[in-house]
Short mmCIF file of all heavy atoms in Angstrom, two decimals:
data_model
loop_
_atom_site.label_atom_id
_atom_site.label_comp_id
_atom_site.label_asym_id
_atom_site.label_seq_id
_atom_site.Cartn_x
_atom_site.Cartn_y
_atom_site.Cartn_z
N GLU A 1 0.82 -1.20 0.00
CA GLU A 1 0.00 0.00 0.00
C GLU A 1 0.86 1.26 0.00
O GLU A 1 0.54 2.22 -0.68
CB GLU A 1 -0.94 0.01 1.21
CG GLU A 1 -1.86 1.23 1.23
CD GLU A 1 -2.80 1.22 2.43
OE1 GLU A 1 -2.57 0.40 3.34
OE2 GLU A 1 -3.74 2.02 2.44
N ILE A 2 1.97 1.26 0.73
CA ILE A 2 2.77 2.47 0.84
C ILE A 2 3.31 2.87 -0.51
O ILE A 2 3.39 4.06 -0.85
CB ILE A 2 3.93 2.28 1.85
CG1 ILE A 2 4.68 3.60 2.07
CG2 ILE A 2 4.88 1.19 1.38
CD1 ILE A 2 3.84 4.70 2.65
N ASP A 3 3.66 1.91 -1.38
CA ASP A 3 4.17 2.24 -2.71
C ASP A 3 3.08 2.87 -3.56
O ASP A 3 3.32 3.80 -4.32
CB ASP A 3 4.70 0.97 -3.41
CG ASP A 3 5.91 0.39 -2.69
OD1 ASP A 3 6.89 1.13 -2.53
OD2 ASP A 3 5.86 -0.77 -2.29
N ARG A 4 1.87 2.37 -3.43
CA ARG A 4 0.76 2.93 -4.20
C ARG A 4 0.47 4.36 -3.75
O ARG A 4 0.26 5.25 -4.57
CB ARG A 4 -0.48 2.05 -4.05
CG ARG A 4 -0.28 0.62 -4.53
CD ARG A 4 -1.61 -0.08 -4.73
NE ARG A 4 -2.37 -0.21 -3.52
CZ ARG A 4 -2.32 -1.27 -2.72
NH1 ARG A 4 -1.50 -2.27 -3.00
NH2 ARG A 4 -3.06 -1.35 -1.64
N VAL A 5 0.47 4.55 -2.46
CA VAL A 5 0.16 5.89 -1.93
C VAL A 5 1.23 6.89 -2.35
O VAL A 5 0.93 8.01 -2.76
CB VAL A 5 0.02 5.85 -0.40
CG1 VAL A 5 -0.08 7.25 0.17
CG2 VAL A 5 -1.20 5.03 0.00
N ILE A 6 2.51 6.49 -2.26
CA ILE A 6 3.60 7.38 -2.66
C ILE A 6 3.48 7.72 -4.13
O ILE A 6 3.62 8.87 -4.54
CB ILE A 6 4.96 6.74 -2.36
CG1 ILE A 6 5.19 6.67 -0.84
CG2 ILE A 6 6.08 7.53 -3.02
CD1 ILE A 6 6.44 5.92 -0.46
N GLY A 7 3.19 6.72 -4.95
CA GLY A 7 3.05 6.97 -6.38
C GLY A 7 1.93 7.93 -6.69
O GLY A 7 2.08 8.86 -7.49
N LEU A 8 0.79 7.77 -6.05
CA LEU A 8 -0.35 8.65 -6.30
C LEU A 8 -0.08 10.05 -5.78
O LEU A 8 -0.47 11.04 -6.40
CB LEU A 8 -1.60 8.07 -5.65
CG LEU A 8 -2.11 6.75 -6.27
CD1 LEU A 8 -3.24 6.18 -5.43
CD2 LEU A 8 -2.56 6.95 -7.69
N SER A 9 0.61 10.16 -4.65
CA SER A 9 0.89 11.48 -4.09
C SER A 9 1.90 12.24 -4.95
O SER A 9 1.94 13.47 -4.93
CB SER A 9 1.41 11.37 -2.66
OG SER A 9 2.66 10.72 -2.63
N THR A 10 2.72 11.52 -5.70
CA THR A 10 3.68 12.16 -6.58
C THR A 10 3.02 12.72 -7.84
O THR A 10 3.57 13.58 -8.50
CB THR A 10 4.78 11.15 -6.98
OG1 THR A 10 5.34 10.59 -5.79
CG2 THR A 10 5.89 11.81 -7.77
N GLY A 11 1.84 12.21 -8.16
CA GLY A 11 1.14 12.74 -9.32
C GLY A 11 0.64 11.69 -10.28
O GLY A 11 0.08 12.03 -11.33
N ALA A 12 0.83 10.41 -9.98
CA ALA A 12 0.29 9.36 -10.84
C ALA A 12 -1.23 9.35 -10.75
O ALA A 12 -1.81 9.68 -9.71
CB ALA A 12 0.85 8.00 -10.43
N ASP A 13 -1.89 9.00 -11.85
CA ASP A 13 -3.35 8.96 -11.88
C ASP A 13 -3.89 7.60 -11.47
O ASP A 13 -5.02 7.49 -11.00
CB ASP A 13 -3.85 9.30 -13.29
CG ASP A 13 -3.49 10.71 -13.68
OD1 ASP A 13 -4.12 11.64 -13.17
OD2 ASP A 13 -2.56 10.89 -14.49
N ASP A 14 -3.11 6.55 -11.67
CA ASP A 14 -3.55 5.21 -11.32
C ASP A 14 -2.31 4.35 -11.21
O ASP A 14 -1.21 4.76 -11.60
CB ASP A 14 -4.51 4.67 -12.39
CG ASP A 14 -5.36 3.50 -11.89
OD1 ASP A 14 -5.19 3.10 -10.72
OD2 ASP A 14 -6.17 2.98 -12.67
N TYR A 15 -2.45 3.13 -10.69
CA TYR A 15 -1.34 2.22 -10.57
C TYR A 15 -1.79 0.82 -10.97
O TYR A 15 -2.98 0.50 -10.94
CB TYR A 15 -0.79 2.20 -9.14
CG TYR A 15 -1.79 1.69 -8.13
CD1 TYR A 15 -1.90 0.33 -7.85
CD2 TYR A 15 -2.66 2.56 -7.49
CE1 TYR A 15 -2.85 -0.14 -6.95
CE2 TYR A 15 -3.61 2.10 -6.59
CZ TYR A 15 -3.69 0.76 -6.33
OH TYR A 15 -4.63 0.31 -5.45
N LEU A 16 -0.84 0.00 -11.37
CA LEU A 16 -1.11 -1.37 -11.77
C LEU A 16 0.00 -2.24 -11.22
O LEU A 16 1.19 -1.95 -11.42
CB LEU A 16 -1.18 -1.47 -13.30
CG LEU A 16 -1.63 -2.80 -13.92
CD1 LEU A 16 -3.02 -3.18 -13.41
CD2 LEU A 16 -1.62 -2.68 -15.43
N VAL A 17 -0.36 -3.28 -10.48
CA VAL A 17 0.62 -4.13 -9.81
C VAL A 17 0.99 -5.30 -10.70
O VAL A 17 0.13 -5.99 -11.24
CB VAL A 17 0.07 -4.63 -8.46
CG1 VAL A 17 1.08 -5.54 -7.78
CG2 VAL A 17 -0.29 -3.46 -7.55
N LYS A 18 2.28 -5.52 -10.88
CA LYS A 18 2.77 -6.68 -11.62
C LYS A 18 2.66 -7.94 -10.75
O LYS A 18 2.89 -7.86 -9.54
CB LYS A 18 4.24 -6.49 -12.02
CG LYS A 18 4.53 -5.29 -12.89
CD LYS A 18 6.03 -5.19 -13.11
CE LYS A 18 6.43 -3.96 -13.88
NZ LYS A 18 7.89 -3.85 -14.05
N PRO A 19 2.38 -9.09 -11.36
CA PRO A 19 2.02 -9.30 -12.77
C PRO A 19 0.57 -8.90 -13.02
O PRO A 19 -0.27 -9.00 -12.13
CB PRO A 19 2.22 -10.80 -12.95
CG PRO A 19 1.96 -11.38 -11.60
CD PRO A 19 2.44 -10.36 -10.61
N PHE A 20 0.29 -8.45 -14.24
CA PHE A 20 -1.06 -8.03 -14.60
C PHE A 20 -1.44 -8.68 -15.93
O PHE A 20 -0.57 -9.10 -16.70
CB PHE A 20 -1.13 -6.50 -14.73
CG PHE A 20 -0.07 -5.93 -15.62
CD1 PHE A 20 -0.22 -5.90 -16.99
CD2 PHE A 20 1.09 -5.41 -15.08
CE1 PHE A 20 0.76 -5.38 -17.82
CE2 PHE A 20 2.09 -4.89 -15.89
CZ PHE A 20 1.92 -4.88 -17.27
N SER A 21 -2.72 -8.77 -16.16
CA SER A 21 -3.19 -9.36 -17.41
C SER A 21 -3.29 -8.29 -18.49
O SER A 21 -3.53 -7.11 -18.18
CB SER A 21 -4.57 -10.01 -17.21
OG SER A 21 -5.56 -9.00 -17.00
N PRO A 22 -3.11 -8.64 -19.76
CA PRO A 22 -3.29 -7.67 -20.84
C PRO A 22 -4.66 -7.02 -20.81
O PRO A 22 -4.79 -5.82 -21.09
CB PRO A 22 -3.09 -8.51 -22.10
CG PRO A 22 -2.19 -9.63 -21.68
CD PRO A 22 -2.61 -9.94 -20.27
N ARG A 23 -5.69 -7.76 -20.45
CA ARG A 23 -7.04 -7.19 -20.40
C ARG A 23 -7.13 -6.09 -19.35
O ARG A 23 -7.73 -5.04 -19.59
CB ARG A 23 -8.07 -8.29 -20.09
CG ARG A 23 -9.48 -7.75 -19.92
CD ARG A 23 -10.46 -8.87 -19.62
NE ARG A 23 -10.65 -9.75 -20.76
CZ ARG A 23 -11.51 -10.75 -20.79
NH1 ARG A 23 -12.24 -11.02 -19.72
NH2 ARG A 23 -11.63 -11.50 -21.86
N GLU A 24 -6.52 -6.32 -18.19
CA GLU A 24 -6.56 -5.29 -17.14
C GLU A 24 -5.78 -4.06 -17.57
O GLU A 24 -6.19 -2.92 -17.32
CB GLU A 24 -6.00 -5.83 -15.83
CG GLU A 24 -6.11 -4.83 -14.68
CD GLU A 24 -5.59 -5.38 -13.36
OE1 GLU A 24 -4.94 -6.43 -13.37
OE2 GLU A 24 -5.84 -4.72 -12.34
N LEU A 25 -4.64 -4.26 -18.22
CA LEU A 25 -3.85 -3.13 -18.70
C LEU A 25 -4.67 -2.27 -19.65
O LEU A 25 -4.72 -1.04 -19.51
CB LEU A 25 -2.60 -3.64 -19.41
CG LEU A 25 -1.79 -2.60 -20.19
CD1 LEU A 25 -1.17 -1.57 -19.24
CD2 LEU A 25 -0.71 -3.28 -21.03
N VAL A 26 -5.31 -2.89 -20.63
CA VAL A 26 -6.11 -2.15 -21.61
C VAL A 26 -7.26 -1.43 -20.92
O VAL A 26 -7.56 -0.27 -21.23
CB VAL A 26 -6.63 -3.09 -22.70
CG1 VAL A 26 -7.64 -2.36 -23.61
CG2 VAL A 26 -5.48 -3.63 -23.55
N ALA A 27 -7.89 -2.09 -19.95
CA ALA A 27 -9.01 -1.47 -19.23
C ALA A 27 -8.55 -0.22 -18.49
O ALA A 27 -9.24 0.81 -18.50
CB ALA A 27 -9.64 -2.47 -18.27
N ARG A 28 -7.39 -0.30 -17.83
CA ARG A 28 -6.89 0.86 -17.09
C ARG A 28 -6.56 2.02 -18.03
O ARG A 28 -6.86 3.18 -17.75
CB ARG A 28 -5.63 0.47 -16.30
CG ARG A 28 -5.84 -0.57 -15.21
CD ARG A 28 -6.67 -0.06 -14.05
NE ARG A 28 -6.76 -1.05 -13.00
CZ ARG A 28 -5.95 -1.12 -11.95
NH1 ARG A 28 -4.97 -0.25 -11.81
NH2 ARG A 28 -6.11 -2.05 -11.04
#
């Protein structure tokens, strides 16, 4: 969770955790 929060606070709009499916990537 801390990595996601840091990423979002830096200015990211969303995050995706590896490994991920191609379908989830396209959806995001």
Side-chain angles (χ1 to χ4, degrees):
E1 182 179 12
I2 186 62
D3 295 303
R4 300 197 297 268
V5 171
I6 290 174
L8 293 172
S9 65
T10 306
D13 296 285
D14 199 359
Y15 63 88
L16 187 58
V17 179
K18 301 176 184 178
F20 51 83
S21 70
R23 175 180 291 184
E24 184 178 12
L25 170 66
V26 172
R28 296 291 184 94

